[in-house]
Amino acid sequence: MAKLTFTGGIHPYDGKELSKDKTIQDVFPESELVYPLSQHIGAPAKPVVAKGDRVLAGQKIAEAGGFVSAPIHASVSGTVKTIEPRRVVTGDMVMSIVIENDGQYEETAYPAPTPYEETEREKIIEIIGEAGIVGMGGAGFPTHVKLSPPKPEKIDYCIANCAECEPYLTSDYRRMLEEPEKLINGLKIYLRLFENAEGILAVEDNKPDCIALLKRLTRDEPKISVRALKTKYPQGGERQLIYAVTGRRINSTMLPADVGCVVNNVDTLVAVYRAVAERKPLTQRIVTVTGDAVADPRNFRVRIGTSYADVLAAAGGFRQQPEKIICGGPMMGFGMFNLNVPTTKTSTALLALTQDEVSMMKPGPCINCGRCVEVCPGRVIPSRLADYAERYDEEAFLENFGMECCECGCCSFVCPAKRPLTQEIKSMRKIQLAKRKK
């Protein structure tokens, strides 16, 4: 049987052996926690607490600023120290709520849950929205919005993105091994929302233990299947994943719902289960701390708002001073210059490398080899788009489908001339997206 996949893609060194066999450990931060009010796509959240207030873990500290927004909940008990702009991982200053952790981790009282099988669809979506759940694979799109398409009866597939194709990351892998029931029950909740849909657990075939475990646990679930994907980057990209498991295509102007699909990653589905079945809001997530510069690479259950410095300390710090620190994975993550910034709902990993290979590269002229075209999952011509972006030729960029780039980094990875193709294209896409918003 042919393995499910897409056209293009690459096979970079995955680095997963550093942390994949390490069980998830909890991090208990001792210092203050910082909660940026913009941890999601859409309007920033609005504070509902003030300086000096005592809060409990799980208590709402900021409400959604609109329909496309999400509330924020405290992940520790303590006192609101201040509400002020704080530096975040991208380098921006973002208005944030700062809580002084009292070390008690006292939790608020949660509403009594009711079985999701007996809960109305609208109520489930309301619970998910109130829990502050957003896409935790990096996009940060509010989940309750994603679960509210105009025609829910037209949704044919609820896809659990278990691919985890980004090199070095193993948080989803550990979650699947250690808490598979929560993942499966999260998917069942989605099927409750979309009664005409089939549930699919899509896993890359470099995780045979996860595939076997999930198949065993779903063998009596007629509406859920486990699909093995060919191990290839970016197999977990939304467009590539949908095509691999359904044969349906989407472009930059479409949403998955337009082709009858809803896609969420592992951590998001577990958060949905915790919200609906336990009535607990999103206050924590799994973060991989890895790389050859880290003393003890592993996966941590991190309370949102904890600083990256505290998470790194839990991994034993650096065994060797890194040349490069990345938030996320090496393909789609971005460089960090300061670890004293907070983790958020979309934090996936902290990667520290002893060598900064990219900075040592010296870009040369394009040799028209076509390798970037061969690996591009968006089926565009990256070298040409990068030229247009460099010259700020917006018309040519759009005419040549520049917005179809998914910024996966495959073209930059294979370019023998070491041209920063993805970075050039990404800059122009950012300009065009900003113009669309206006």
Side-chain angles (χ1 to χ4, degrees), residues 83-333:
I83 301 175
E84 65 183 17
R86 286 292 183 99
R87 189 79 62 189
V88 295
V89 69
T90 58
D92 299 324
M93 297 294 287
V94 175
M95 189 62 69
S96 306
I97 298 172
V98 182
I99 294 177
E100 189 68 43
N101 181 13
D102 63 11
Q104 301 299 312
Y105 300 102
E106 184 180 351
E107 290 192 75
T108 188
Y110 301 114
T114 57
Y116 66 84
E117 298 92 344
E118 302 172 11
T119 307
E120 294 294 325
R121 182 180 191 277
E122 292 72 19
K123 182 61 177 179
I124 292 177
I125 294 175
E126 178 187 329
I127 292 170
I128 292 170
E130 276 298 302
I133 301 173
V134 303
M136 296 167 70
F141 193 78
T143 302
H144 71 280
V145 180
K146 181 179 286 191
L147 297 178
S148 305
K151 297 181 179 179
E153 70 279 2
K154 297 292 186 181
I155 300 299
D156 302 316
Y157 299 99
C158 292
I159 304 172
N161 186 351
C162 310
E164 196 166 49
C165 64
E166 181 79 31
Y168 288 94
L169 273 60
T170 57
S171 56
D172 285 351
Y173 172 76
R174 292 310 313 177
R175 182 77 96 170
M176 285 187 280
L177 282 184
E178 296 183 38
E179 299 179 324
E181 294 86 1
K182 292 181 180 180
L183 168 61
I184 293 168
N185 284 327
L187 185 55
K188 287 182 181 179
I189 292 171
Y190 273 49
L191 295 178
R192 167 69 174 150
L193 300 176
F194 305 104
E195 295 183 350
N196 297 330
E198 170 192 348
I200 299 175
L201 294 155
V203 192
E204 278 193 327
D205 61 1
N206 63 350
K207 306 173 184 66
D209 45 357
C210 288
I211 293 173
L213 176 61
L214 293 174
K215 281 186 174 181
R216 177 170 61 82
L217 294 176
T218 59
R219 62 191 173 193
D220 297 324
E221 300 291 342
K223 294 189 68 176
I224 297 178
S225 62
V226 180
R227 307 280 182 90
L229 306 171
K230 183 177 181 180
T231 299
K232 182 169 63 171
Y233 176 85
Q235 189 69 263
E238 197 168 59
R239 299 183 208 176
Q240 290 72 45
L241 182 67
I242 290 173
Y243 178 75
V245 298
T246 71
R248 302 179 181 185
R249 299 178 185 273
I250 62 173
N251 59 37
S252 63
T253 65
M254 301 168 67
L255 295 172
D258 295 331
V259 292
C261 298
V262 172
V263 183
N264 271 117
N265 83 320
V266 171
D267 238 3
T268 308
L269 284 162
V270 172
V272 166
Y273 165 78
R274 286 170 51 85
V276 177
E278 301 175 0
R279 297 303 300 272
K280 293 183 178 180
L282 176 56
T283 60
Q284 60 185 33
R285 63 158 301 130
I286 310 300
V287 176
T288 302
V289 182
T290 187
D292 59 355
V294 175
D296 185 16
R298 59 176 57 249
N299 300 283
F300 294 100
R301 184 178 289 103
V302 176
R303 286 168 167 77
I304 292 166
T306 303
S307 75
Y308 279 92
D310 285 352
V311 180
L312 174 65
F318 296 130
R319 70 173 184 84
Q320 182 178 337
Q321 192 61 32
E323 286 188 358
K324 189 69 174 181
I325 303 175
I326 299 172
C327 174
M331 297 303 299
M332 295 193 73

Side-chain angles (χ1 to χ4, degrees), residues 47-54 79-81 83:
V48 293
V49 293
K51 181 179 179 180
D53 289 352
R54 185 170 190 274
T79 304
V80 177
K81 187 176 179 180
I83 301 175

